Every structure is written in C-alpha cells, then in structure tokens.
Amino acid sequence: MIECRVCAGSLSEFIDFGRQPLSDAFRKPDDSTPEFFFRLAVGICESCTMVQLVEEVPRDRMFHQEYPYHSSGSAVMSKHFAKTAHYFLETELTGADPFIVEIGCNDGIMLKTIREAGVRHLGVEPSGGVAELARSEGVRVRTDFFEESSASKIRAAEGPADVIYAANTICHIPYIESIFRGVDALLSAAGVFVFEDPYLGDIVERTAFDQIYDEHFFFFTVRSVGAMAQRFGFELVDVERLAVHGGEVRYTIARAGSRTPSAATAELLAEEQARGLAERTTFDHFADAVGQVRDDLIALLRRLRDEGSRVVAYGATAKSATVANYCGIGPDLVPFVCDTTLVKQGRLTPGSHLPVRPVTAFADPYPDYALLFAWNHAEEIMAKEQQFRDAGGRWILYVPEVKII
Ligand code: DWN
Ligand code: SAH
Ligand code: ZN
C-alpha cells in the first residue's frame, strides 16, 4: 500500500506514465553518465482526497545550484507577480514594520517589488543559481529548503511573518507536515499563508497531463487543501482562480478560527462536488483522455514528418518532459526545441534528447509548424512570434486537445 503524504490514508493509483526522467535535468551533449529515471504515476487518497505522485524524487536531485528554471523569463508572469506584491503591500503589509517570507522565490520575480517598496522580506530558495539572481536584484535570500527547522531559525532571528507566500512551490513539497509546522512556527497570530498552484480542476478539464512531472508532487483542490489545512491546525479562508500557467488557484490559509472563510471558498468547493472532482471515475475518464491526446499527437507528428513538413518545438518547459517521453517525441520527429533560457541552450532535453537552441534558431528559417510546449504562455509567445504566422507558419497545440491553429 502506498500512503498519502498528508494523512497516511491509502492511495488509489489512476494513471502511470512509466519510467520518466527529471524534467529539469537538461543534459550536456557529451555527458555519458546514465540518466536518472523514476516511475511517474498518480493516485488519489481514499481518505482525504489529495491527488499526488506515488513515488517521490529526492529533493536534492531536483533543486540545486544548477536548477534551470528562471521565473522572470515570461513578461506576463513578471506582471502577475508585481500585481501580487502590490496586493500584499496594500492589504496584509500595512502595519508597523511588516515582514513577508516567500517560499521558493526563485530569481526574485515577486520579492523585487517588495524590496523596491522598502518592506522587510526574506526569500527561502534552495536552488543556489536562481537565489543568486534574486540577490543581484537586491532581494534578501536564504539558500535553504523551507521546512520546520529552517522556519524556526528564521522566526528566532527575525520575528514572526505577517505573510508567508509561495507560488508554484507548495505543490512541489511532499514533506508537507514539516511545511505546516514551519508555517506554525513562523507565522504571526493574525498572519496568512498564501500559496498558488496548478488547479486539479483545470488539469482534468483541459486534459493538461503535462502538469504531471517529478517536481509537481501534489495536485490541489479546495477540498483537499481545506482538509489539509484543518489537519494541521489551520483553516482555508479564501480561494481565487488565476489564469496563469494554464489555470491555478490561490489559497489563503489562516490559523483556525482567526478569519471568516469567504463565500468564494464555499462556492468553489460546491462546484468541485458537482463535478465529481474527488471521484475515482473522473480520473479514469481523465486517464482515457490522456491516452487519446497521446495517440492524436504522435499520429499528427508522424504524418507531418512523412509529408516532409518541418516541425520545431517552442519552449523547453519542465512540463514537456512528460509529453515528449510519454509520446515518444525524439529528434526524428522534432529536430530541436528553442528556448530563451541561456542555461538550457546547448543542452539536450531530459530523456527525449531534443537539442535546445536559442530562439533566434526559430526564424532561421521558420519551420512549417511549431509544437508549442509552452502552451501556458500561448498568448505572450504567439504575440511576439506574429511574423511566423505571417510567413504561413502554424502552431500545434495539445491542450485541451490536439489541434493546428
Ligand atoms: O512549477 C514550475 C513552473 C512554475 O516552472 C516548475 N516546476 C518548473 C517550471 O515549469 P515549466 O518549465 O513547465 O514552466 P514554464 O513557465 O511553462 O516554462 C516556459 C519555458 O519556455 C521556459 O524555459 C522559458 C521558455 N520561454 C521562451 O522560450 N519564450 C517562455 C516564454 C514566455 C517565451 O516567450
Ligand atoms: N515561485 C516561482 C518559482 C517556481 S519553481 C514561480 O512561481 O515562478 C519552484 C521553486 O521552488 C524552485 O525555485 C525550487 O528551487 C523551489 N523549492 C523547492 N522546494 C523548496 C522548499 N522546500 N523550500 C523553498 N523553495 C523550494
Ligand atoms: Zn490523505
């Protein structure tokens, strides 16, 4: 039996992607050491309904000095996090000498606005390379994993936090009890713990199976997050749906009884109930839909290759590791993937070994089709690549279904 990492209940597995590599382990072309693989499969807890991976990858293999994801690579995300910072500055951070801690601050995309406002802050970020980028923006960062021990040290050295915030990070952390103990140690009596992550409701609705990879351990719903908060002495008091990264929810958690839960929380919970978002059959349908997308995508790419069309991929996302390896997309079908991230360029994608090239290679010359791995940034990317469309190029999307636009 595999145990739930929240409540130790038993997991009911509903999808298995087989052996998969680490999504952000971009390889040097001359590296002949064996790649690390693990079994990527997902189950739902029969007790608390939390959806989660069945196998955990050791955290130091994923989050280290060379972690290649730089949050500031997207202008839309930069705007989103500037807005988030202003929201905190205007609501929770208005007292005397307020203090905000961000778990997984990456390159400082959110905290740099807090720093500009002169508000006391601390980022907690284990990946040394991105932490250095944040420091170069004047952001204060502790290079460390957030957990009970580090949180207690921060509390002792700097006092209680009014806000503990995390974007696209809490869902990365299987040792979730230690996170809540850390929040308990560090958060002020009236403070809030706010986190936003991909929403299981959107993943299921859009068959966005590429949100499933090593780093994404939990797939949250209002129901499962509410139960988790309660279990650890907290309460879910607000939720907000966000359009970023293909659909997310921002959860606001407070100490139990300290705030009145919003109407929005009850509404989204009721919507989940009506949709059957905690029922096994829903996930069986999801697994069937995933298989269909794989079949359609691979058939399309083979047909285009056989017709002599040139297809290049756009955005060497972590998500695309699951798509490429599960669908068997190698350099025979897609000769390279272009990406703006310097540290990914010149490397090979994990498992599938697609060369990563700078975005200048995209227009040199334009391909017939572009497979949009970074589909969550479609608007931003399509706008800046209008010339590709004008030249007759077409985009291939596979979320929510395989289509050419
Ligand atoms: O949860 C996570 C999210 C926040 O970031 C992490 N586990 C890892 C990472 O996931 P991802 O790599 O799937 O995230 P993105 O934001 O979809 O990655 C976009 C990729 O595309 C980056 O490598 C940058 C690249 N890109 C580009 O080449 N041109 C992005 C944009 C917007 C562009 O215009
Ligand atoms: N918040 C950014 C980064 C998301 S990527 C954004 O939304 O764009 C996930 C980040 O979480 C990585 O930078 C990784 O190093 C960090 N991380 C993983 N485990 C962590 C932990 N226990 N404590 C703090 N950060 C962690
Ligand atoms: Zn559980």
Side-chain angles (χ1 to χ4, degrees):
M1 184 190 104
I2 294 169
E3 279 187 9
C4 169
R5 294 301 302 259
V6 178
C7 79
S10 77
L11 288 190
S12 166
E13 187 179 314
F14 59 82
I15 196 164
D16 183 358
F17 295 95
R19 309 299 296 173
Q20 292 285 335
L22 304 185
S23 61
D24 270 315
F26 291 86
R27 277 166 77 79
K28 291 190 180 129
D30 58 2
D31 188 350
S32 56
T33 58
E35 272 181 286
F36 179 87
F37 285 85
F38 74 110
R39 187 168 82 93
L40 181 66
V42 191
I44 180 165
C45 173
E46 288 169 355
S47 303
C48 77
T49 78
M50 182 65 81
V51 170
Q52 57 202 277
L53 299 190
V54 303
E55 196 174 314
E56 172 185 350
V57 171
R59 63 188 190 180
D60 309 275
R61 280 194 178 271
M62 298 185 283
F63 310 117
H64 44 65
Q65 185 64 29
E66 312 278 305
Y67 184 67
Y69 182 68
H70 297 177
S71 300
S72 298
S74 157
V76 168
M77 292 314 300
S78 293
K79 252 187 238 153
H80 169 77
F81 287 118
K83 192 173 149 201
T84 302
H86 284 294
Y87 162 75
F88 287 132
L89 290 169
E90 286 153 25
T91 55
E92 304 291 336
L93 301 174
T94 54
D97 191 24
F99 180 39
I100 178 170
V101 171
E102 185 179 10
I103 306 175
C105 69
N106 200 275
D107 60 8
I109 189 168
M110 195 286 286
L111 284 180
K112 69 182 191 194
T113 304
I114 301 286
R115 181 201 67 89
E116 281 159 18
V119 165
R120 205 150 59 84
H121 63 273
L122 182 68
V124 184
E125 174 52 71
S127 299
V130 294
E132 279 153 31
L133 292 173
R135 277 187 208 104
S136 72
E137 294 282 348
V139 169
R140 280 186 68 224
V141 188
R142 176 186 176 102
T143 305
D144 207 347
F145 287 95
F146 186 92
E147 58 193 329
E148 188 179 5
S149 55
S150 54
S152 303
K153 285 179 198 145
I154 295 166
R155 171 68 177 81
E158 321 219 8
D162 302 287
V163 176
I164 299 176
Y165 173 68
N168 307 298
T169 298
I170 299 304
C171 75
H172 293 56
I173 307 181
Y175 41 100
I176 197 71
E177 181 166 355
S178 178
I179 296 300
F180 274 90
R181 286 179 189 274
V183 169
D184 189 29
L186 180 58
L187 195 68
S188 69
V192 281
F193 173 32
V194 179
F195 56 90
E196 59 197 60
D197 288 287
Y199 180 47
L200 184 63
D202 290 313
I203 294 173
V204 168
E205 185 177 302
R206 298 178 187 178
T207 319
F209 68 91
D210 59 347
Q211 292 284 14
I212 301 167
Y213 56 91
D214 56 341
E215 296 174 20
H216 284 179
F217 189 84
F218 289 118
F219 303 90
F220 296 139
T221 61
V222 176
R223 176 160 170 190
S224 63
V225 168
M228 175 168 74
Q230 198 177 10
R231 183 175 186 87
F232 300 124
F234 291 83
E235 190 173 10
L236 177 60
V237 295
D238 197 19
V239 297
E240 183 188 351
R241 294 188 79 159
L242 306 171
V244 295
H245 286 307
E248 302 205 319
V249 168
R250 176 179 289 168
Y251 304 91
T252 300
I253 284 171
R255 293 187 186 277
S258 69
R259 297 196 183 199
T260 309
S262 68
T265 312
E267 281 161 21
L268 195 49
L269 184 65
E271 189 184 312
E272 290 177 358
Q273 172 84 16
R275 287 183 54 193
L277 209 52
E279 280 160 36
R280 173 72 209 210
T281 47
T282 301
F283 298 104
D284 291 334
H285 289 140
F286 169 73
D288 291 344
V290 170
Q292 188 64 53
V293 170
R294 170 171 76 169
D295 293 350
D296 292 349
L297 182 58
I298 202 70
L300 173 66
L301 293 175
R302 286 189 181 143
R303 176 168 70 75
L304 294 175
R305 176 194 56 192
D306 296 345
E307 284 173 7
S309 295
R310 202 167 144 259
V311 183
V312 156
Y314 202 110
T317 58
K319 289 182 289 291
S320 67
T322 299
V323 179
N325 288 286
Y326 173 66
C327 300
I329 302 171
D332 56 321
L333 291 173
V334 173
F336 69 88
V337 50
C338 64
D339 194 288
T340 49
T341 315
L342 272 172
V343 297
K344 293 183 183 178
Q345 293 166 8
R347 304 236 175 178
L348 303 177
T349 58
S352 52
H353 298 177
L354 308 179
V356 184
R357 301 184 57 188
V359 170
T360 47
F362 183 58
D364 189 22
Y366 283 125
D368 302 302
Y369 296 89
L371 176 60
L372 189 56
F373 278 158
W375 57 268
N376 48 309
H377 300 293
E379 223 175 288
E380 178 174 352
I381 290 173
M382 287 181 185
K384 74 168 112 170
E385 297 294 355
Q386 185 54 42
Q387 275 194 21
F388 165 62
R389 291 300 301 273
D390 296 344
R394 307 272 225 106
W395 294 98
I396 300 172
L397 290 171
Y398 46 83
V399 176
E401 70 239 322
V402 176
K403 62 178 176 221
I404 295 175
I405 60 167

